[in-house]
């Protein structure tokens, strides 16, 4: 795999059958990034994708039904849903031209700032949180039907 086009740390990485997606992070100047880069194994190349709605770093993430969910776990109660798909079209001369489609959706803010996202039985969960000096043990569940978060633990 070729090196990423953008050097970064504190990033999120999603692995899906057709691609490897890198979101946000922090660059060498300590600036939070919003860019998204996708590695497509069939072409052995990285491709720029539509950026995140805001710069993101220090993220927690999970995947449910090929949808990626991201939340910053420092000073934020924002959660985003991210979908990436890759379509490979063969052009004349048998070269492959990838078409990358990305979609971002803002979810409602959490009731309590979370430290980790997870899933159980297809449900999105936000677990723990608070701050370094005041950790909490709450569990919040997101309902896509009502588009709301509910404290469940």
């Amino acid at each position: 795999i070729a090196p990423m086009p953008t050097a970064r740390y504190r990033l999120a990485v999603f692995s899906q059958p057709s691609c490897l997606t890198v979101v946000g992070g922090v660059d060498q100047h300590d600036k939070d990034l919003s860019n998204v880069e996708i590695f497509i194994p069939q072409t052995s190349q990285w491709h720029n994708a539509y950026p995140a709605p805001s710069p993101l770093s220090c993220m927690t993430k999970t995947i449910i039904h090929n949808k990626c969910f991201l939340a910053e776990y420092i000073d934020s109660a924002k959660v985003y849903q991210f979908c990436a798909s890759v379509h490979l079209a063969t052009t004349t001369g048998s070269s492959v031209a990838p078409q990358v489609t990305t979609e971002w959706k803002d979810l409602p803010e959490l009731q309590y700032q979370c430290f980790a996202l997870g899933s159980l039985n297809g449900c999105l969960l936000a677990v723990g949180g608070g701050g370094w000096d005041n950790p909490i043990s709450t569990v919040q569940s997101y309902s896509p039907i009502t588009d709301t978060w509910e404290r469940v633990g």
Side-chain angles (χ1 to χ4, degrees), residues 12 14 57-62 69-73 114-118:
F14 294 102
S57 66
C58 300
M59 293 165 277
T60 177
K61 61 176 175 43
T62 193
F69 296 89
L70 293 154
E72 286 190 293
Y73 57 80
C114 83
F115 193 78
L117 291 179

Side-chain angles (χ1 to χ4, degrees), residues 34-110:
S34 60
N35 61 330
V36 176
E37 295 166 347
I38 297 177
F39 180 79
I40 302 172
Q42 293 87 339
T43 64
S44 297
Q45 294 179 337
W46 288 92
H47 301 271
N48 289 321
Y50 193 79
S54 63
L56 298 169
S57 66
C58 300
M59 293 165 277
T60 177
K61 61 176 175 43
T62 193
I63 297 177
I64 304 172
H65 306 299
N66 286 327
K67 294 179 181 175
C68 308
F69 296 89
L70 293 154
E72 286 190 293
Y73 57 80
I74 296 179
D75 299 328
S76 179
K78 298 274 306 166
V79 179
Y80 300 99
Q81 176 182 305
F82 172 75
C83 297
S85 61
V86 176
H87 174 71
L88 299 172
T90 305
T91 61
T92 55
S94 297
S95 64
V96 176
Q99 296 174 333
V100 177
T101 304
T102 56
E103 177 185 338
W104 287 94
K105 176 184 176 186
D106 289 1
L107 297 186
E109 286 200 11
L110 293 160

